[in-house]
Amino acid sequence: MTVDRILPTDEAHDLLALATELADRELAPRAVDFEERAEFPREVLRTLGRAGLLGLPYAEEHGGAAQPYEVYLQVLEILAGRWLAVAEAVSVHTLSCYPLAEFGTDAQRTLLPDLLGGELLGAYCLSEPQGGSDAASLTTRAVRDGDDYRVTGVKAWITHAGVADFYNVFCRTGEPGPKGISCLLADRDTPGIVPQAAERTMGLRSSPVAQVAFDDARVPADRLIGGEGAGFTIAMSALDSGRLGIAACAVGLAQAALDYAVGYARERQQFGRAIIDFQGLGFLLADAATQISAARALTLAAARLRDAGRPYSIEAAKAKLFATDVAMRVTTDAVQVLGGSGYVSDHPVERYMREAKVLQIVEGTNQIQRLVISRALAKD
């Protein structure tokens, strides 16, 4: 099904056409093979970077494309419809570039062209084994020692662990609570940074996720981003943008599931007619199409607030919550439409359903999104 989009510029139309071409040529043919082998498609990320699709929302002076967030999110949606692991990798990498781009010094930002061009890949180290949602209580500690910080602790659920070229490490440099947290940018080759074995995940098997141990790792003090104590503010600001990325991924995945289910339902014959003509299935697909359109609209509305420089964190939480719940519902329903065929790997909908689940968890669980939204309502 063709999505009818309203885009702000002719350049945006060209970017989405480029994204579609690359997604069809570089992503779709590889997804099943890489997922089955649990292999990270590093060269695909380089290809996207060299095509300019990894730096879309960042300034041209740093190697980005200076595109509105609403355009970047629609590129993510297209990528997710072909291979969610790659779209999520783009979203995580974009998130990983945010602290440096928004809070880094001019000297630190000299790293950005290689990051935004895809030659270097980033990871975002916030969660810990005992503190995922409670980020303000993180325990990884960095102690100043001359011209370095000595970092000790363990980070958990780190996307790109072991394949990233740099890590944003949120660590405690001061007092308990959010004011004692700082952000360091660490190179992968830093002695004492030890990625652990990859987790065996339900979906997104080609996306490596693991703990990363910091065993007295020495990170140069000039890699401190935003000053001591600024880490929590940086982390929360980055997550507002990251939640929109995950919402866009969810929309793309849900759209792919719907498209496949509709195609199947048009062709599958029972009792002498296409099963899409039976009201039970036809209405189910109609509801799915409506929910996807609503999720897309909510996501882009939040992005336009961001582009206008207006507060958008609550709307980002709503978009992430709604879009990922829609993706879970639609992918599950797509399996139901295919019946027994939906439960086997000959069709992609079983993979879509497994992949959708993680979107309700990453970048803040959907329970956390509800907490964020309800607290804002209480303040009003």
Side-chain angles (χ1 to χ4, degrees):
M1 297 172 63
T2 300
V3 176
D4 191 12
R5 302 180 188 275
I6 299 175
L7 297 170
T9 62
D10 290 339
E11 183 182 11
H13 283 278
D14 293 341
L15 276 171
L16 264 65
L18 173 63
T20 301
E21 177 189 348
L22 287 172
D24 288 340
R25 187 180 75 228
E26 303 290 341
L27 275 62
R30 293 180 168 91
V32 172
D33 181 45
F34 275 75
E35 287 293 323
E36 287 181 351
R37 290 187 288 111
E39 179 181 342
F40 181 63
R42 182 66 182 90
E43 287 305 312
V44 172
L45 270 293
R46 283 197 178 91
T47 298
L48 295 179
R50 291 165 183 169
L53 298 185
L54 291 188
L56 290 176
Y58 292 111
E60 290 178 334
E61 64 188 282
H62 301 312
Q67 288 298 307
Y69 225 70
E70 66 165 304
V71 174
Y72 158 66
L73 293 182
Q74 291 180 83
V75 168
L76 268 188
E77 180 189 329
I78 289 168
L79 299 179
R82 275 65 168 188
W83 189 356
L84 179 62
V86 170
E88 192 230 16
V90 173
S91 181
V92 168
H93 180 71
T94 302
L95 173 72
S96 299
C97 293
Y98 181 89
L100 184 60
E102 295 297 321
F103 297 91
T105 65
D106 289 341
Q108 291 168 338
R109 286 177 181 155
T110 58
L111 295 169
L112 276 173
D114 280 343
L115 302 180
L116 300 181
E119 299 308 311
L120 299 177
L121 186 69
Y124 192 81
C125 300
L126 180 61
S127 293
E128 296 185 353
Q130 304 303 321
S133 298
D134 187 8
S137 297
L138 64 82
T139 60
T140 296
R141 180 161 289 280
V143 178
R144 184 67 181 262
D145 183 7
D147 292 333
D148 299 326
Y149 283 93
R150 297 190 351 259
V151 184
T152 302
V154 178
K155 293 296 182 178
W157 309 113
I158 306 306
T159 301
H160 300 159
V163 299
D165 297 293
F166 73 98
Y167 295 89
N168 288 282
V169 186
F170 292 90
C171 46
R172 190 162 301 285
T173 54
E175 63 191 71
K179 294 182 180 179
I181 296 171
S182 300
C183 177
L184 293 170
L185 187 66
D187 292 332
R188 65 173 297 172
D189 295 329
T190 302
I193 296 181
V194 186
Q196 305 297 294
E199 304 286 356
R200 299 171 62 187
T201 54
M202 178 191 298
L204 295 181
R205 291 171 180 164
S206 62
S207 177
V209 175
Q211 292 187 356
V212 179
F214 296 84
D215 184 9
D216 204 30
R218 300 185 73 93
V219 179
D222 62 9
R223 289 295 188 88
L224 176 68
I225 306 296
E228 284 200 1
F232 191 78
T233 297
I234 293 172
M236 295 302 104
S237 178
L239 285 177
D240 285 340
S241 297
R243 285 167 180 164
L244 290 180
I246 296 302
C249 287
V251 173
L253 183 67
Q255 186 70 59
L258 174 64
D259 291 348
Y260 198 90
V262 167
Y264 183 91
R266 287 172 176 169
E267 296 296 325
R268 175 70 168 168
Q269 297 281 322
Q270 292 285 278
F271 305 102
R273 57 200 290 203
I275 62 173
I276 198 170
D277 293 329
F278 291 99
Q279 193 174 89
L281 283 182
F283 280 16
L284 181 150
L285 293 169
D287 286 344
T290 302
Q291 291 160 5
I292 293 168
S293 292
R296 180 180 292 113
L298 186 58
T299 300
L300 294 179
R304 289 169 185 139
L305 286 175
R306 185 188 190 280
D307 290 333
R310 294 170 59 181
Y312 72 98
S313 61
I314 304 304
E315 297 308 307
K318 292 177 185 176
K320 196 272 182 184
L321 166 63
F322 186 75
T324 58
D325 279 355
V326 164
M328 190 72 254
R329 187 179 311 118
V330 171
T331 55
T332 302
D333 286 345
V335 171
Q336 191 70 24
V337 169
L338 270 67
S341 296
Y343 199 67
V344 297
S345 59
D346 295 350
H347 299 274
V349 290
E350 63 86 24
R351 172 166 62 86
Y352 296 160
M353 185 178 74
R354 289 186 286 104
E355 292 175 338
K357 186 62 203 174
V358 76
L359 299 178
Q360 295 178 302
I361 299 170
V362 297
E363 306 287 9
T365 66
N366 282 7
Q367 286 68 35
I368 289 294
Q369 307 311 317
R370 289 180 170 91
L371 183 63
V372 168
I373 298 164
S374 64
R375 283 178 175 174
L377 294 174
K379 290 179 181 177
D380 290 341

